Amino acid sequence: MRFDLPTPDDTTRPFWDAAREGRLVIKRCASCGRAHHYPRPFCPYCWSGDVSWEEARGTGTVYTFSVVHRNDLPPFNERVPYVAAVVELDEGPRLMTNVVDCDVDDVAVGMPVEVAYRAIDDNGTENDGVTVPVFRPASGYTSAA
């Protein structure tokens, strides 16, 4: 059994389909104007059902993170150390994700990041199975370390 693969449903499928296409989408409420994530059929702020998908810029900052050095569940045990993070998008919503393409010691709260994508299949290899958004240091970012 894979623990790192999402199970898209009717509510979340547009998010996962967009990720497979290399696009990050979020929902925005037409009533109060606020963007939100995770995908749901109503606004978590004003409870309006007048929400729709929009493409996010795919940029933001690391809000918080943890470097995972030990995880016994496959396939995570093969990835250690890795960075589990919450990224605050420029549009406002926060996403749980991984920070990739940099040394784990270089990740910092407030670090500017941009979206990248990881395609995963049931065997852990890359293909057209499921694509998950991950984040990497923004172009031109250099760590202070």
Side-chain angles (χ1 to χ4, degrees):
M1 169 179 252
R2 290 297 302 261
F3 296 98
D4 64 331
L5 295 178
T7 305
D9 59 23
D10 290 342
T11 300
T12 63
R13 190 165 288 109
F15 175 82
W16 298 112
D17 289 347
R20 185 178 296 122
E21 296 167 1
R23 298 180 305 111
L24 181 64
V25 294
I26 55 176
K27 287 229 171 163
R28 184 170 300 275
C29 178
S31 294
C32 72
R34 293 182 74 178
H36 62 272
H37 182 81
Y38 63 91
R40 55 203 128 178
F42 60 88
C43 175
Y45 303 106
C46 73
W47 301 100
S48 169
D50 192 8
V51 295
S52 59
W53 293 101
E54 72 176 43
E55 192 160 344
R57 288 184 292 249
T59 54
T61 57
V62 173
Y63 179 78
T64 190
F65 71 97
S66 181
V67 178
V68 179
H69 291 278
R70 183 179 177 126
N71 187 332
D72 294 333
L73 292 175
F76 303 106
N77 59 338
E78 300 160 4
R79 297 180 184 161
V80 293
Y82 62 88
V83 177
V86 175
V87 165
E88 185 169 68
L89 296 176
D90 290 342
E91 291 84 0
R94 295 177 184 153
L95 282 77
M96 290 194 67
T97 187
N98 293 122
V99 176
V100 299
D101 297 341
C102 67
D103 189 286
V104 297
D105 293 330
D106 291 339
V107 179
V109 169
M111 181 175 85
V113 290
E114 61 191 17
V115 72
Y117 299 92
R118 178 185 292 155
I120 305 172
D121 73 6
D122 286 335
N123 299 318
T125 59
E126 294 185 15
N127 78 353
D128 288 335
V130 175
T131 301
V132 295
V134 295
F135 284 79
R136 63 181 174 222
S139 299
Y141 174 79
T142 55
S143 88

